[in-house]
């Protein structure tokens, strides 16, 4: 995943347009708030703009410059709050802290040399200032609701990783190593991750679990056809 | 789920949430969810000199994954109850 805030210019539609959302992965627009300026870190406010809150991320798009916009995933928002004290910031706003995931070991030199993009990725604070302060509490609640939709994806990542390691082609390789097998797929057997890790049994277990996969049924049929053609 | 159940019991009490970035926020626990996201009300920053801009915040939502510690009020801790609950949890019950 991408940590921190990033520049965002993927717009759809005419005029100022709307942010492109990853609808294929279930991303939905939850709230639109026109008349919002954005303050990143100690930078001056940028406006006018429109705030879009989706089920995955917060997007601010400039109303005048189609190329200008920012996005931050809810996964990177550590904290958000309503700030109303004029001593802290002159205008009431939504205050948010951003987890950057930046390497703390990076030298200061890279900071001074960096262009705008790198500095942006290290921004840890964001203020969203609506022209209508009465909307703040409603905005806060939308932020809460969407943050709750985005728990840490640790378990899913683990699962994906396992699927990725034991991909179909690797499982075929495992089968090819089995001398009793009628399948002739031995060309790629050196690529077997299960074998190279000495983790043969685990790979075999996964293979057995998925042996009823349709791909294998097709392969078997094909083998039969080929066999009979030879005979 | 033990922590979730336990924190739910503490709703309405004063707690201090310490974040992994060292920021510590004290406030009334408004709500907690299964991901241990925490909502605080009547908040104040413990180290105000270091985080002056956070003074203004009266309520906030803290993402569960960035929480390092939650300091509990001593009167909110029933040691016997926690003992039993952790034993049950450890047995998988």
């Amino acid at each position: 995943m991408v940590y921190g805030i990033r520049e965002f210019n993927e717009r759809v539609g005419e005029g100022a347009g709307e942010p492109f959302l990853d609808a294929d992965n279930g991303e939905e627009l939850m709230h639109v708030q026109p008349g919002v300026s954005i303050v990143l870190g100690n930078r001056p406010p940028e406006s006018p703009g429109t705030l879009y809150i989706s089920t995955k991320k917060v997007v601010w798009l400039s109303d005048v410059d189609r190329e200008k916009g920012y996005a931050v995933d809810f996964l990177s928002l550590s904290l958000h709050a309503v700030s109303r004290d004029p001593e802290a910031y002159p205008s009431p706003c939504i205050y948010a802290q951003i987890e950057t995931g930046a390497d703390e070991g990076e030298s200061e030199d890279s900071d001074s040399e960096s262009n705008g993009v790198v500095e942006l990725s290290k921004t840890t604070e964001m203020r969203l200032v609506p022209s209508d302060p009465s909307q703040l509490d409603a905005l806060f609640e939308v932020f809460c609701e969407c943050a709750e939709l985005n728990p840490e994806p640790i378990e899913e990542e683990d699962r994906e990783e396992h699927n990725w390691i034991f991909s179909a082609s690797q499982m075929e390789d495992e089968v090819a190593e089995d001398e009793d097998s009628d399948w002739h797929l031995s060309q790629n057997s050196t690529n077997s991750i299960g074998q190279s890790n000495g983790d043969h049994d685990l790979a075999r277990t996964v293979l057995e679990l998925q042996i009823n996969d349709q791909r294998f049924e097709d392969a078997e049929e094909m083998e039969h056809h080929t066999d009979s053609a030879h005979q | 789920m033990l922590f979730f159940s336990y924190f739910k019991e503490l709703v309405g009490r004063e707690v201090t949430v310490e974040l992994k970035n060292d920021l510590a926020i004290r406030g009334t626990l408004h709500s907690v969810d299964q991901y241990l996201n925490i909502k605080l009300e009547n908040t104040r920053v413990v180290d105000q000199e270091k985080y002056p801009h956070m003074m203004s915040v009266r309520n906030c939502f803290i993402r569960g994954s960035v929480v390092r510690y939650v300091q509990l009020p001593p009167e909110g801790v029933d040691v016997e109850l926690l003992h039993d609950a952790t034993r049950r949890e450890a047995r998988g019950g």
Side-chain angles (χ1 to χ4, degrees):
Chain A
M1 74 168 268
V2 182
Y3 279 103
I5 192 159
R6 60 188 184 273
E7 287 188 359
F8 186 92
N9 57 12
E10 301 163 60
R11 301 194 190 201
V12 294
E14 296 298 310
E18 289 196 345
F20 170 78
L21 301 180
D22 189 4
D24 288 345
N25 282 318
E27 184 175 16
E28 290 177 36
L29 189 62
M30 298 292 279
H31 190 83
V32 181
Q33 188 70 45
V36 175
S37 57
I38 189 169
V39 185
L40 298 173
N42 294 325
R43 296 181 184 196
E46 296 181 57
S47 67
T50 303
L51 186 70
Y52 297 87
I53 303 172
S54 84
T55 48
K56 306 260 188 209
K57 60 180 181 271
V58 177
V59 181
W60 180 90
L61 297 182
S62 165
D63 290 343
V64 286
D65 182 352
R66 233 183 120 90
E67 288 303 307
K68 195 166 200 53
Y70 304 101
V72 57
D73 291 330
F74 275 102
L75 287 173
S76 296
L77 286 181
S78 307
L79 173 160
H80 65 262
V82 176
S83 170
R84 286 200 173 93
D85 187 342
E87 283 185 27
Y89 195 77
S91 316
C93 60
I94 295 282
Y95 168 83
Q97 285 191 354
I98 300 165
E99 195 175 5
T100 61
D103 186 357
E104 289 179 17
E106 275 183 56
S107 67
E108 290 297 315
D109 284 349
S110 66
D111 277 4
S112 52
E113 282 173 13
S114 62
N115 55 24
V117 176
V118 175
E119 285 172 5
L120 183 67
S121 72
K122 291 181 179 170
T123 300
T124 57
E125 290 182 320
M126 170 175 75
R127 287 184 172 83
L128 298 162
V129 189
S131 55
D132 177 5
S134 70
Q135 295 300 310
L136 278 173
D137 287 328
L139 277 176
F140 178 81
E141 288 306 323
V142 177
F143 268 70
C144 291
E145 189 184 340
C146 294
E148 284 163 7
L149 294 176
N150 289 274
E152 294 303 295
I154 295 167
E155 286 177 34
E156 278 173 36
E157 271 178 8
D158 279 355
R159 232 175 286 132
E160 278 170 18
E161 208 168 88
H162 289 153
N163 286 341
W164 181 75
I165 291 173
F166 300 107
S167 71
S169 66
Q170 286 154 7
M171 287 190 285
E172 286 168 3
D173 292 341
E174 282 295 318
V175 172
E177 281 156 23
D178 186 345
E179 291 187 347
D180 295 329
S181 170
D182 289 327
W183 299 356
H184 306 289
L185 297 159
S186 56
Q187 302 97 306
N188 294 325
S189 63
T190 49
N191 290 338
S192 165
I193 287 178
Q195 189 185 43
S196 60
N197 286 344
D199 206 358
H200 194 84
D201 287 340
L202 180 55
R204 175 62 46 86
T205 309
V206 172
L207 174 68
E208 285 167 356
L209 283 173
Q210 303 198 6
I211 197 81
N212 289 328
D213 190 298
Q214 275 210 313
R215 284 168 297 185
F216 291 90
E217 287 172 17
D218 290 347
E220 218 162 29
E221 278 177 27
M222 278 169 58
E223 287 296 327
H224 286 316
H225 289 309
T226 318
D227 285 348
S228 53
H230 281 298
Q231 281 161 7
Chain B
M1 293 308 270
L2 170 61
F3 282 111
F4 174 43
S5 317
Y6 185 65
F7 283 137
K8 275 199 297 191
E9 298 293 313
L10 293 171
V11 164
R13 291 189 185 257
E14 183 105 325
V15 297
T16 301
V17 180
E18 186 180 326
L19 275 58
K20 288 174 184 168
N21 66 5
D22 294 335
L23 176 66
I25 305 168
R26 190 158 178 77
T28 307
L29 185 64
H30 170 272
S31 58
V32 60
D33 69 13
Q34 57 176 315
Y35 308 113
L36 302 186
N37 295 323
I38 290 173
K39 264 192 196 174
L40 294 180
E41 286 183 333
N42 305 315
T43 56
R44 60 182 185 279
V45 174
V46 175
D47 187 353
Q48 298 199 337
E49 287 182 11
K50 200 171 165 190
Y51 305 98
H53 53 279
M54 284 291 295
M55 285 173 65
S56 62
V57 168
R58 288 285 164 264
N59 60 342
C60 72
F61 177 104
I62 302 163
R63 188 170 171 77
S65 62
V66 303
V67 174
R68 181 186 289 144
Y69 297 121
V70 179
Q71 297 169 21
L72 312 172
E75 68 275 15
V77 182
D78 184 332
V79 178
E80 284 304 311
L81 191 76
L82 267 182
H83 261 144
D84 288 346
T86 44
R87 276 196 215 104
R88 272 201 303 277
E89 186 99 346
R91 281 201 301 263

